Amino acid sequence: MFSVAIDGPSGAGKSSVSKAVAKAAGFVHVDTGALYRALAFTSIKNSVDISNADAVNEMLTNTKLSLKLDADGQKVLINGEDVTGQLRTEQVSMAASNISKIPAVRAFLLDTQRKTAEEMNVIMDGRDIATVVLPNADVKVFLTASPEKRAERRYKELLAKNEEVEYNKILEDVIKRDRQDMEREIAPLRPSEDSVIVDTSEMSFDESVEAITRLIKERM
């Protein structure tokens, strides 16, 4: 099997770029961020205090998380319910950053991620794919962009959904999320030593997809 690991900060476009690259390469796209978001969503929905280790462990014991891969892409199911459409709120994003610091949560998801990569050709994106989840990936990419550019993209995305948002608040959240991800004790956000850095600040979406697709073709 051939595996591609794509890491990077929040809002860098990892999921959308990875999904497009996977389609072009005929690979399966695995959005690991959605798995953490699903557990964060579950904790919010059930009022679980994630600072309480016992409460988190009880939640994980009662949670069956599964991936469904079809023509429309990846769907995330919690106890049989498709929660994919409920994972992109700012509240869930911040909760996902916090819940990802918990060792029990990371262990809960690690086997699912690695097993998927063993069974099929994958493009897997997240925060620690190249450094922790798939350290032997055939291609490793660290996809990034300036905080301002990432906030601008998120701002336009939310405006298109007719949501009331403030650019400065989004930029503040982006910077805060970066700090949380880079300073956490467990699997902090950083490029692996052998990752190719792809900065998309001045690149279009198509250019980003083309750059990574070219890397894969070269390695294959």
Side-chain angles (χ1 to χ4, degrees):
M1 295 294 103
F2 195 94
S3 58
V4 180
I6 300 183
D7 294 310
S10 175
K14 296 185 302 295
S15 295
S16 54
V17 169
S18 296
K19 186 175 181 179
V21 173
K23 185 176 182 180
F27 284 22
V28 171
H29 170 230
V30 180
D31 174 6
T32 64
L35 305 182
Y36 285 100
R37 286 173 180 269
L39 294 181
F41 170 78
T42 302
S43 71
I44 294 169
K45 181 180 179 181
N46 296 292
S47 301
V48 175
D49 178 5
I50 63 173
S51 66
N52 184 322
D54 290 337
V56 171
N57 285 328
E58 182 178 355
M59 180 188 80
L60 295 176
T61 299
N62 296 317
T63 299
K64 181 180 179 182
L65 184 149
S66 56
L67 287 177
K68 181 180 178 183
L69 303 165
D70 58 26
D72 296 323
Q74 172 183 286
K75 300 289 190 300
V76 184
L77 283 70
I78 293 289
N79 296 331
E81 177 189 359
D82 183 355
V83 299
T84 311
Q86 304 176 73
L87 305 182
R88 303 300 299 182
T89 68
E90 293 303 307
Q91 182 186 20
V92 170
S93 291
M94 295 307 295
S97 180
N98 288 321
I99 207 168
S100 67
K101 300 174 186 176
I102 301 172
V105 169
R106 304 194 74 82
F108 179 82
L109 294 178
L110 190 58
D111 285 345
T112 298
Q113 297 166 17
R114 286 180 172 168
K115 185 177 180 182
T116 303
E118 289 171 359
E119 295 175 346
M120 55 193 80
N121 295 329
V122 299
I123 292 181
M124 191 175 292
D125 73 81
R127 298 288 192 283
D128 62 348
I129 309 304
T131 54
V132 176
V133 180
L134 301 177
N136 297 315
D138 298 286
V139 176
K140 299 178 182 180
V141 173
F142 192 83
L143 190 72
T144 189
S146 69
E148 292 77 14
K149 180 61 70 172
R150 287 183 279 132
E152 176 188 329
R153 291 169 180 169
R154 181 64 173 157
Y155 176 71
K156 290 179 179 178
E157 178 186 334
L158 293 173
L159 280 184
K161 296 179 180 179
N162 296 317
E163 295 188 29
E164 292 186 12
V165 289
E166 295 180 16
Y167 169 80
N168 288 336
K169 178 62 169 63
I170 293 175
L171 177 59
E172 181 183 314
D173 287 344
V174 166
I175 294 171
K176 181 179 179 182
R177 178 75 188 270
D178 284 354
R179 186 165 58 249
Q180 285 184 351
D181 289 343
M182 290 187 291
E183 294 179 355
R184 69 189 184 201
E185 291 184 16
I186 300 174
L189 172 67
R190 61 177 175 79
S192 66
E193 292 183 358
D194 51 351
S195 286
V196 177
I197 309 296
V198 178
D199 188 324
T200 67
S201 298
E202 303 304 323
M203 297 170 69
S204 68
F205 178 79
D206 288 343
E207 288 171 338
S208 303
V209 172
E210 182 181 345
I212 296 175
T213 302
R214 186 166 58 246
L215 273 174
I216 294 171
K217 288 180 178 178
E218 288 172 357
R219 299 290 172 87
M220 291 185 77

